[in-house]
Amino acid sequence: MTIKNKLRIGISFLFLLALICCGLSIYYLNRLSADAKNILKDNYETVTFTKNMGAAVDASPGELGSRQIKIIEENLVKQEHNITERGEKELTDSLRRKFEELKKMRNNQLAAAGLHSDMKRLLYSIMQLNMNAIEHKYERAEGTANEATLLVAFVGSFLFLVAFSFVVNFPGYIANPIKELTERIKEVSNRNYHQQLNFKSNDEFGELGQAFNTMTTKLDEYEHSNLASILFEKKRIETIINSMHDAIIGLDEKSFIIFANEVACTMIGIPEQGLTGRSAPELSQENDLLRNLLISDQQKMKIFADGRESYYNKEVLEVTNNDKVIGRVIILKNITEFQQLDDAKTNFIATISHELKTPISSIKMSLKLLEDDRIGAVNPEQRQLLENIDEDARRLLQITGELLDMAQVETGKLQLNFGKTHPGNIVDYAVKALKTTAEQKQVTINVQCDQSLPDVQADLDKTTWVLINLLSNAIKYSHEKSVVDLVVKIYKADEIEFSVQDHGRGIDQRYLSRIFDRYFKVPGATTEQTGTGLGLAIAKDFIEAQAGKIGVESEIGEGSRFYFTLKRFGK
């Protein structure tokens, strides 16, 4: 039988008992009500009638007056219609005859006196008969009440015991199997699959127990059948990891070391047995390399190993399960060969750039001499060629300068000469340097730099170079007869902001994140507007080397706003 049907039967049984108890109570209440009605209405009314007639008879022992006769007549009529007991009718009829005789012989006092006595006797007899009936009916009602009390008390007690047993036992009938099931599930969650439920009932709990037992049996079979394959896969993965030339360390969610390949063990200087199963934070207190791997956020690391300096790129991969991080894998890739090639490239660029500056300067000097009338007159075609050569030489000189600056940044040889200077000095130098260029394009540079601004701590030459680069780009990308806004203001309590706003065509949002990358050029720019793609990258390095920030804001059709911040002097 199902639990649902058991519940239905149990609740129906309780409901039936409650109905029986209520039915018995109603039955006996009706009986008591009927007995009380008989006593109060029938017998008690008769007693009242006889009492009224007796009082009328006693009021005039001699001759009955009309008032007494009327009272006796009314009550006698009522009594004749309220005969309920055996023998009461005969007594009432006799009383009627005596009363009729009395009315006829009212003038005969002697006969009337005898009739008075007979009527009193009859009235007493009727009253005594009803009094006996009242006593008898009272005894019968009392018996009914006692019987009802015992029966209702018995049924109520039985109902209480059944309900109490139901309340005590039924919750356990439901809760105990659930509690046992919960304990078994906890054991299964700990991979203890030797769990069985012994529910002997033939209901849903019995079916649940059978299903649970089947599940644990299958899980145990699955665990043992897959253990060998899991161990095989573990060995295969360990072999692959150990065969790699990169250092690999695996950590669980509590930062305990799960595995480390031979390369990682060699670099750290601890054998695999000394690493596996130990807490990485505790080991890092004794090992500098492991501490840097766990704490440092730098991706590029220089490590002294095998008697020489080597360069590594650190990658941290998170292992997740249902969006929950359950471990990490740290990989150190050896990039020494690429670093050496990059250093060689940087040195080559620096050498070539340095070597090119001398002949380019000589070319510019020769152009100055050719433009001098004392050397000789040149025709218009020759002058145009000289101007073209001068422009190309200027561009070559700018490119070599940018390459040299970039080489300094990449090699870490960037030298900054920090000093105290007013923002107006930086602005004046930059505006003067580009005055001719702006006039040629009829672009007005609108400067907003309050003289009351505090001094900044900066490298004057390199900061001026950055501002010149930003102004030069703004002029190139501005329309003729337009305005470029150069604004200097307090950005924060300890920072001053320099911004350059042009009103050109702007930069597409998808290119803003790459605008400061090396060699990046915004697509769609004309030949006159494009450069080497190094200017903004160098500007970013110069500003960040001074603990400042640089950024850009732009929208198509609204122009672009480049800005950078510098620290206030003494902050």
Side-chain angles (χ1 to χ4, degrees), residues 62 64 220 307 326 351 358 399 444 514 520 531:
L64 289 175
D220 188 59
I326 60 174
T351 302
T358 302
I399 291 172
T444 302
R514 301 177 56 196
F520 177 76

Side-chain angles (χ1 to χ4, degrees), residues 422-434:
H422 190 273
N425 297 332
I426 302 173
V427 171
D428 291 341
Y429 292 150
V431 171
K432 289 178 180 178
L434 294 171

Side-chain angles (χ1 to χ4, degrees), residues 13 100 103 158 234 247 283 302 331 365 383 481 559:
F13 179 67
E100 294 297 333
K103 287 193 296 182
F158 178 72
K234 180 175 180 293
L283 281 175
K302 182 169 66 173
I331 303 175
M365 180 60 68
R383 184 168 298 279
K481 299 181 181 180

Side-chain angles (χ1 to χ4, degrees), residues 290-532:
L290 189 57
R291 183 166 58 253
N292 289 333
L293 291 176
L294 295 176
I295 299 175
S296 177
D297 293 331
Q298 294 182 353
Q299 291 186 342
K300 189 175 180 180
M301 303 180 66
K302 182 169 66 173
I303 301 174
F304 186 81
D306 298 330
R308 64 188 182 92
E309 287 186 346
S310 300
Y311 293 89
Y312 291 86
N313 188 42
K314 183 180 76 171
E315 291 185 11
V316 180
L317 306 178
E318 291 184 344
V319 182
T320 59
N321 183 20
N322 296 328
D323 297 331
K324 180 182 178 182
V325 178
I326 60 174
R328 292 178 297 161
V329 176
I330 301 176
I331 303 175
L332 284 179
K333 294 184 178 180
N334 194 334
I335 58 170
T336 304
E337 182 179 354
F338 301 103
Q339 183 65 35
Q340 291 173 348
L341 293 174
D342 188 64
D343 291 342
K345 179 263 298 180
T346 302
N347 293 330
F348 174 77
I349 291 176
T351 302
I352 293 299
S353 300
H354 186 271
E355 293 297 327
L356 285 174
K357 289 189 73 173
T358 302
I360 292 173
S361 298
S362 300
I363 292 172
K364 289 185 69 68
M365 180 60 68
S366 300
L367 287 172
K368 289 290 184 182
L369 293 174
L370 287 173
E371 290 175 352
D372 195 336
D373 293 336
R374 292 176 294 179
I375 301 300
V378 293
N379 57 40
E381 290 79 6
Q382 292 171 336
R383 184 168 298 279
Q384 182 63 44
L385 291 173
L386 291 175
E387 291 176 359
N388 293 340
I389 295 172
D390 183 60
E391 179 63 23
D392 292 339
R394 184 191 64 78
R395 291 184 61 190
L396 281 174
L397 191 60
Q398 178 184 355
I399 291 172
T400 53
E402 290 179 352
L403 290 173
L404 278 174
D405 291 333
M406 184 58 65
Q408 287 183 351
V409 172
E410 290 181 346
T411 57
K413 297 178 181 180
L414 179 63
Q415 296 180 353
L416 297 175
N417 298 316
F418 282 104
K420 171 184 176 183
T421 184
H422 190 273
N425 297 332
I426 302 173
V427 171
D428 291 341
Y429 292 150
V431 171
K432 289 178 180 178
L434 294 171
K435 182 179 179 181
T436 303
T437 305
E439 289 177 350
Q440 290 177 350
K441 201 171 181 180
Q442 298 182 7
V443 173
T444 302
I445 301 177
N446 181 21
V447 179
Q448 299 180 32
C449 179
D450 196 340
Q451 292 299 319
S452 62
L453 289 172
D455 293 336
V456 294
Q457 182 175 341
D459 184 314
L460 180 60
D461 293 336
K462 290 183 172 52
T463 305
T464 302
W465 185 94
V466 172
L467 188 56
I468 290 174
N469 186 275
L470 297 182
L471 280 173
S472 176
N473 289 340
I475 294 171
K476 283 193 297 183
Y477 286 93
S478 293
H479 305 296
E480 290 188 358
K481 299 181 181 180
S482 61
V483 177
V484 172
D485 296 316
L486 197 166
V487 181
V488 184
K489 62 181 180 180
I490 296 177
Y491 177 65
K492 292 181 180 179
D494 60 342
E495 290 182 339
I496 303 297
E497 182 189 78
F498 296 74
S499 66
V500 177
Q501 170 80 55
D502 66 64
H503 302 281
R505 67 187 186 94
I507 304 171
D508 197 317
Q509 293 290 325
R510 55 182 170 173
Y511 302 130
L512 291 180
S513 60
R514 301 177 56 196
I515 199 69
F516 294 101
D517 292 348
R518 296 173 187 177
Y519 307 109
F520 177 76
K521 301 177 183 180
V522 178
T526 63
T527 306
E528 296 178 354
Q529 293 174 338
T530 56
T532 61

Side-chain angles (χ1 to χ4, degrees), residues 24-155:
L24 287 174
S25 300
I26 294 171
Y27 170 73
Y28 281 105
L29 284 175
N30 288 331
R31 284 186 58 184
L32 289 173
S33 176
D35 292 342
K37 179 181 178 181
N38 292 332
I39 293 172
L40 294 175
K41 183 178 179 181
D42 300 336
N43 300 109
Y44 183 76
E45 286 181 352
T46 297
V47 172
T48 302
F49 299 153
T50 56
K51 180 180 177 182
N52 292 337
M53 288 186 287
V57 171
D58 292 337
S60 179
E63 183 179 355
L64 289 175
S66 59
R67 183 173 177 274
Q68 285 78 16
I69 292 174
K70 182 179 180 181
I71 292 173
I72 294 173
E73 180 67 29
E74 290 177 354
N75 284 275
L76 182 57
V77 171
K78 293 179 179 179
Q79 171 58 27
E80 288 174 344
H81 290 86
N82 191 38
I83 295 173
T84 57
E85 303 300 328
R86 180 179 298 178
E88 186 176 0
K89 178 175 176 55
E90 289 79 4
L91 293 174
T92 303
D93 291 341
S94 298
L95 181 62
R96 166 61 71 179
R97 289 193 299 271
K98 295 295 181 179
F99 177 63
E100 294 297 333
E101 292 177 4
L102 181 62
K103 287 193 296 182
K104 295 176 180 179
M105 298 181 178
R106 286 188 298 174
N107 297 325
N108 188 349
Q109 293 184 355
L110 181 62
L115 292 172
H116 275 198
S117 298
D118 292 338
M119 287 182 65
K120 286 183 178 180
R121 180 180 55 78
L122 290 171
L123 288 172
Y124 177 78
S125 297
I126 294 172
M127 182 181 294
Q128 188 63 38
L129 180 64
N130 280 275
M131 291 296 293
N132 291 336
I134 288 173
E135 184 178 356
H136 175 70
K137 290 179 180 180
Y138 172 76
E139 291 176 355
R140 186 173 61 185
E142 187 177 13
T144 302
N146 292 334
E147 181 183 353
T149 302
L150 290 175
L151 188 57
V152 172
F154 174 76
V155 174

